[in-house]
Amino acid sequence: MDHIGGLPMYVATRGLYRMKPPTIIVPTSIKEDVEKLFEVHRKMDQSKLKHILVGLDVGEEFCMSTDYKVKAFRTYHVIQSQGYVAYSKKRNLKQEYLGLPANDIKNSLFSSL
């Protein structure tokens, strides 16, 4: 409850500050129950509580943007749970390849092998 119970307040606070709706990632097994939690709070508070709810299973990834991903991993707790790692993967082109056509870059890289 100390984690999941704070979600409606978190979403409501973002709404008060006119921030975009948050993306909330939960285990697929509880996604439906979490949506019911939001429905109850909407009914009591008469608020919209806008958010994006994503269910992930262990090992699955979700692309937050072109640069950021979230991956679910197994955790051990008294109830079923999982953790998440958020990471970015940048692909920077070396200065020597900037402006070259893709085939020239590919040929240059594979000719050195």
Side-chain angles (χ1 to χ4, degrees), residues 35-83:
E35 192 53 59
K36 288 177 187 174
L37 173 70
F38 277 103
E39 288 172 19
V40 167
H41 280 272
R42 284 185 192 108
K43 186 175 181 180
M44 289 188 306
D45 190 39
Q46 301 296 305
S47 61
K48 294 183 180 179
L49 295 175
K50 293 181 182 178
H51 64 279
I52 299 163
L53 191 61
V54 176
L56 285 184
D57 288 320
V58 170
E60 290 185 325
E61 292 183 334
F62 176 74
C63 292
M64 297 291 289
S65 68
T66 55
D67 291 335
Y68 292 95
K69 292 183 179 184
V70 173
K71 185 173 185 176
F73 62 90
R74 183 180 182 95
T75 59
Y76 300 91
H77 198 37
V78 294
I79 61 168
Q80 182 183 355
S81 66
Q82 62 192 39

Side-chain angles (χ1 to χ4, degrees), residues 19-39:
M19 298 169 75
K20 71 178 190 170
T23 299
I24 300 168
I25 300 172
V26 298
T28 302
S29 62
I30 66 166
K31 182 180 177 197
E32 188 177 315
D33 290 334
V34 173
E35 192 53 59
K36 288 177 187 174
L37 173 70
F38 277 103
E39 288 172 19

